[in-house]
Amino acid sequence: MADANSVSPGLATLGAGGWTVTEPSAGGRFGSVGVLTPQQILATQALVSGYWNVPAPAWKAATSTVAAGSTAKGICVRGFSELSGLTTTAQDANITVTPTIDTAAPFGGTALKLAIVNTAGAARYVQVQSGNADINIPNFKGAKRRFAARVATDDNTKISQVELYYGIPGLGRFVRSRRFPGDASGALAYTYYFHGGPNAISDTLLDNDAVTQYRFTVYVPASETVNVWIDGLYLPDRTPGFVAWTFDDQAVSLATFASLLSARGMHGTFGINQSGITSGALTPLPAYGGTALKWEDLAVMAAAGHELGSHNVNNTSITTAGLATYMAEYRTMKWDMYQRGLLTAPFYHPCVRGVTTLVGSDALLAEGARVQRLVTADNCEPMFREQFLTCVPVRNLDTAYQLGNATTAGKMLSFLQDAIDYGTDIVFMGHLLDASSYGAATWPVADFIALADAVKAAVVAGQLGGAGSVSEWARYRGWRVA
């Protein structure tokens, strides 16, 4: 169930008496009305507009509000083409780091290379720190600025996390923000954002502080040897963020997700498993849980403007299935959808179980899957993102992916507020809906409604540049997906 900061299950509306929620009863019809707590009001009031809570007919033709050409640019604060002014240290004698400049870094060009060897029986870290006054960016927190960095490894499974500290001289006041390379087996590159606020690990900066110093920290698991490349520190321009909606598998919940988005004038992108899908009468909506869709349901979703791509036959990862089996399943579902006229997103593949490998990513790219989505818990930094569409991270509407912390509507609204405040993009991923309860991969329908309403309200208010499908996200940012 929702925590104290989330929206209670039900349809949230704003009236003269405040925010209320209509609780769903069995069968999907809306029944009794309750009143949100003050904490729930605060969690949604800033973002959710009462107008967008007005129910619209299911399968209303979606109307895109996405404008083209809001490219994400910025400036390089410090490029790592040489080592002057940088100090490299290790946590203790059990871990060593050798810094060099590599003129053939994995993402092209020159970058700082850290050759790290951890002989300890537990995770250890290394650090790269600038001088006390190597940079000078005034009012960093007050202007809600963020940093970005391009990071690559020769094996992402051998990196626990990457952190950036930044602050005043000596880091007497600072922000500590971290990212997790996580879900990719192989040598892949990422663009990370780092900013302050309530979702940072630490934030003691004052609004008018000038940022003058920074420090990268790389954590390596026990007994691992790995190379890490960082090409520089960047200051992205502030442009309104974008929300992309993505959903996986083949459950009837996907039709309900699509219907709710359509009613709000938004599209989603759906990765579909073939297993269990049959032909028959349309599924009555709302429908919840994991019962398989019908091909006819998918046809209605495609006709409403939602994007459909292959998510293979079964829900088996590439590391379990092996490359040949995985690609065979990818092709089987791709061509089945193509022959039915349903393959509206041939450029898109959500990696099954959120796992990929370098050779698997290359194989998918060769067959047109330019956008490959993982389940790494992260927002999407738009600067340089087009270079790394094979490793798109998400915010999961799945509590199982959150290291035991329930990802309720209140928490997702805080991530959405980060995207609004700092100009980052955010990719949501969902699997299942329930009439009232949370589960490992399940959200209550009313909490999703509250999130969708908040996104739509932010777009209308100009706080976001748009919200919609993966191709609409790419169009907004000026990226190529095919």
Side-chain angles (χ1 to χ4, degrees), residues 230-280:
I230 307 172
D231 80 331
L233 183 67
Y234 297 87
L235 184 67
D237 294 339
R238 283 182 51 82
T239 59
F242 190 94
V243 168
W245 298 103
T246 70
F247 307 90
D248 290 359
D249 301 341
Q250 80 288 48
V252 291
S253 292
L254 302 191
T256 304
F257 278 125
S259 177
L260 292 170
L261 290 180
S262 290
R264 287 153 180 81
M266 293 183 285
H267 302 123
T269 301
F270 295 76
I272 307 297
N273 293 126
Q274 184 190 59
S275 179
I277 300 179
T278 58
S279 293

Side-chain angles (χ1 to χ4, degrees), residues 83-343:
L83 297 174
S84 64
L86 300 177
T87 302
T88 306
T89 58
Q91 181 178 358
D92 57 33
N94 295 302
I95 186 168
T96 62
V97 56
T98 303
T100 59
I101 297 300
D102 188 347
T103 58
F107 26 61
T110 300
L112 171 65
K113 179 181 179 181
L114 303 174
I116 306 171
V117 180
N118 181 13
T119 60
R124 291 288 189 273
Y125 63 78
V126 301
Q127 296 182 321
V128 179
Q129 182 164 304
S130 74
N132 282 348
D134 277 9
I135 60 176
N136 187 358
I137 307 174
N139 194 37
F140 193 93
K141 182 175 179 177
K144 294 192 180 300
R145 301 305 300 267
R146 70 185 189 274
F147 284 119
R150 291 194 294 180
V151 179
T153 73
D154 55 8
D155 190 340
N156 286 304
T157 64
K158 297 180 179 181
I159 297 295
S160 302
Q161 62 196 50
V162 177
E163 296 182 347
L164 180 69
Y165 292 71
Y166 59 86
I168 65 174
L171 298 177
R173 290 190 297 273
F174 65 90
V175 166
R176 178 189 176 195
S177 182
R178 70 183 176 195
R179 299 290 162 255
F180 300 94
D183 303 300
S185 175
L188 293 179
Y190 290 82
T191 303
Y192 292 122
Y193 74 85
F194 302 94
H195 62 65
N199 289 312
I201 303 305
S202 302
D203 183 353
T204 60
L205 274 185
L206 303 179
D207 281 356
N208 61 351
D209 278 340
V211 170
T212 65
Q213 187 173 23
Y214 59 89
R215 180 173 71 212
F216 285 99
T217 303
V218 179
Y219 287 79
V220 177
S223 305
E224 295 289 7
T225 297
V226 65
N227 293 314
V228 178
W229 292 263
I230 307 172
D231 80 331
L233 183 67
Y234 297 87
L235 184 67
D237 294 339
R238 283 182 51 82
T239 59
F242 190 94
V243 168
W245 298 103
T246 70
F247 307 90
D248 290 359
D249 301 341
Q250 80 288 48
V252 291
S253 292
L254 302 191
T256 304
F257 278 125
S259 177
L260 292 170
L261 290 180
S262 290
R264 287 153 180 81
M266 293 183 285
H267 302 123
T269 301
F270 295 76
I272 307 297
N273 293 126
Q274 184 190 59
S275 179
I277 300 179
T278 58
S279 293
L282 287 174
T283 301
L285 299 181
Y288 308 122
T291 302
L293 288 159
K294 300 292 192 294
W295 290 111
E296 288 77 7
D297 298 322
L298 293 172
V300 173
M301 291 164 63
H306 299 289
E307 296 175 346
L308 308 179
S310 171
H311 195 41
N312 291 21
V313 175
N314 299 294
N315 202 24
T316 306
S317 72
I318 190 169
T319 52
T320 299
L323 177 63
T325 299
Y326 189 90
M327 293 304 299
E329 289 201 8
Y330 167 76
R331 296 181 193 112
T332 295
M333 184 52 167
K334 179 176 75 171
W335 288 112
D336 195 350
M337 295 174 71
Y338 177 80
Q339 290 163 3
R340 297 172 185 273
L342 298 176
L343 187 67

Side-chain angles (χ1 to χ4, degrees), residues 46-47 239-242 417 419-421 423 454-455 457-466:
L47 290 176
T239 59
F242 190 94
Q417 190 65 57
I420 292 169
D421 286 345
V455 170
V459 173
V460 171
Q463 297 171 312
L464 291 172

Side-chain angles (χ1 to χ4, degrees), residues 11-12 51-57 60-63 65 245 256-267 445-446 448-454 456-457 460 467:
L11 180 62
Y51 173 84
W52 290 108
N53 279 299
V54 177
K60 173 184 175 183
T63 55
T65 59
W245 298 103
T256 304
F257 278 125
S259 177
L260 292 170
L261 290 180
S262 290
R264 287 153 180 81
M266 293 183 285
H267 302 123
V445 63
F448 179 75
I449 288 171
L451 179 62
D453 286 342
K456 188 65 180 185
V460 171

